Amino acid sequence: MSNLQLALIAIGIVLILLVLLFNWWQDQRVRKQMHEQFSMGDEHENDVLLKDRKSVAPIQKAPADRQDPVFASDLNESGSPAPAAAPVAAAMPVHDMDGQHDEEAVDEMTEGVIELHFAAPVGGADLHRYTRSALYAGSKPLRFFAETDDGLHRADLRADENYVSLQMAVLLANRAGALGEIEWSQAWAKADEIAHEFDASVESPDVPALLRRAGKLDQVCANLDTQVGLTVQLAQPHPIRSVIDVARAKGFTEYRNGLAWMNHDGLPRFVLLLAGEHAEDPANAGVNRVDLLLDVPCSPPDDTPFARMMAVARDLALSLDGQLIDDSGRPVMEGSEHAIDEQIRGIYEELEQQGLQAGSSRALRVFS
């Protein structure tokens, strides 16, 4: 073996050792930062969720590990559920300078914030390349807000602006549970990556206090997370397409991945779901039941939400030659809607008292 070959091998070994040493140093640095965050404690944080609440008798709680039912348009051509689409990053908006602040901002009640302050203004297009791929930390969605070098607040980054600071807002709780240490660590790692790229200082909240807030918010939401369902049990399987046509004729409209019954403001009161066995041919694929689901925290307040849904369900049952049954498989009795509506109205009131008005953008975030 020549001296040149030995030298090249030695250089290769040195480079590998340098890479391993650098990775170790990076790992130790992140661990030290996270340790410093989690070692801070504040037993006396201001908690907006500490409110008395009266007990209610919920109709149906959404279980923590429940799986969302299949919507009609979630079916692929084989009649089986289609895979979820990957998030698509929106195009970078360009706007004229209007000198106005964006209205949307961090929700201090339901989000924790990591703040980054740039040593020099950063272009919106450059910053967007990093934020557009940071959509979630675990199961918790992330939102970004920024301040321009002219002092304007932005909820959406703009390609023609420069920014001096950035806020990363992390949702504290949703139907997947409370924000945990691992999810917070993932959010912090994303913020740290941006900070290194654009030479920014990073400010973190008191992490133990933040996680306690997340746990309390999760408990409040769990106590109020109520869904009410009705089922139209069909006498014989109906083709999916015919069921959808009947539903549309009755007043259901397309909403996100399925069909919903809307209010006058275009907000969904309840949704229509399809369940059952499906044949390979989508033209003949059939269902033997049709479900209506009222997601109480995510629906706009209504004086008679269940009675309204029951009336629509009875109309569907008549058109589809089906029987109306409740979640327990029992026939729905006339007059039962009044007692259920009274309970739902009580839950609407509880949600409002807790700052989580049903159907609001805040409620839609935490009950997702």
Side-chain angles (χ1 to χ4, degrees), residues 5-65:
Q5 289 175 316
L6 290 174
L8 291 175
I9 292 173
I11 292 173
I13 293 174
V14 171
L15 289 177
I16 292 173
L17 290 175
L18 287 175
V19 170
L20 291 175
L21 180 62
F22 178 77
N23 288 338
W24 175 86
W25 176 80
Q26 285 281 72
D27 181 68
Q28 291 299 112
R29 181 176 176 275
V30 171
R31 287 175 180 270
K32 181 180 178 182
Q33 289 176 331
M34 292 306 303
H35 177 73
E36 290 174 352
Q37 293 181 71
F38 283 100
S39 64
M40 295 186 301
D42 183 2
E43 298 295 338
H44 305 286
E45 73 275 14
N46 182 25
D47 191 346
V48 297
L49 296 174
L50 292 179
K51 300 180 181 178
D52 292 334
R53 60 179 299 275
K54 62 184 179 181
S55 60
V56 294
I59 297 93
Q60 177 185 344
K61 299 292 183 174
D65 59 348

Side-chain angles (χ1 to χ4, degrees), residues 113-118 127 130-131 143-147 154 157 163-168 191 194 198 201:
V113 181
I114 300 174
E115 296 198 10
L116 295 88
H117 300 274
F118 303 117
L127 191 55
Y130 282 81
T131 60
R143 299 197 298 165
F144 290 92
F145 303 92
E147 181 184 353
R154 290 289 179 249
L157 299 179
Y163 299 98
V164 296
S165 66
L166 183 72
Q167 291 179 309
M168 174 189 286
I194 296 173
F198 299 107
S201 61

Side-chain angles (χ1 to χ4, degrees), residues 30 33-34 37 114 168 182-196:
V30 171
Q33 289 176 331
M34 292 306 303
Q37 293 181 71
I114 300 174
M168 174 189 286
I182 294 177
E183 290 175 321
W184 179 258
S185 298
Q186 292 173 346
W188 178 261
K190 294 177 187 293
D192 190 59
E193 179 184 0
I194 296 173
H196 275 80

Side-chain angles (χ1 to χ4, degrees), residues 319-359:
S319 299
L320 296 173
D321 187 25
Q323 181 185 24
L324 185 60
I325 58 178
D326 61 19
D327 291 333
S328 302
R330 297 171 298 188
V332 177
M333 304 300 295
E334 253 334 311
S336 61
E337 64 270 25
H338 304 301
I340 296 176
D341 274 334
E342 184 176 355
Q343 292 185 55
I344 294 176
R345 287 193 296 269
I347 295 171
Y348 284 144
E349 292 175 3
E350 290 272 349
L351 286 164
E352 186 168 4
Q353 290 172 9
Q354 296 290 352
L356 297 165
Q357 184 176 13

Side-chain angles (χ1 to χ4, degrees), residues 34 37-43 45-47 49 108-114 137 140 170-173 177-188 204-219:
M34 292 306 303
Q37 293 181 71
F38 283 100
S39 64
M40 295 186 301
D42 183 2
E43 298 295 338
E45 73 275 14
N46 182 25
D47 191 346
L49 296 174
E108 298 289 350
M109 175 181 168
T110 64
E111 293 176 313
V113 181
I114 300 174
K140 302 301 180 288
V170 189
L171 189 65
L172 296 181
L179 176 71
E181 292 184 7
I182 294 177
E183 290 175 321
W184 179 258
S185 298
Q186 292 173 346
W188 178 261
S204 170
D206 181 342
V207 179
L210 185 74
L211 297 183
R212 289 195 293 272
R213 283 179 52 209
K216 291 174 182 177
L217 175 61
D218 181 56
Q219 186 59 53

Side-chain angles (χ1 to χ4, degrees), residues 133-157:
S133 61
L135 302 178
Y136 288 89
S139 64
K140 302 301 180 288
L142 304 175
R143 299 197 298 165
F144 290 92
F145 303 92
E147 181 184 353
T148 70
D149 54 0
D150 294 326
L152 295 177
H153 169 76
R154 290 289 179 249
D156 294 300
L157 299 179

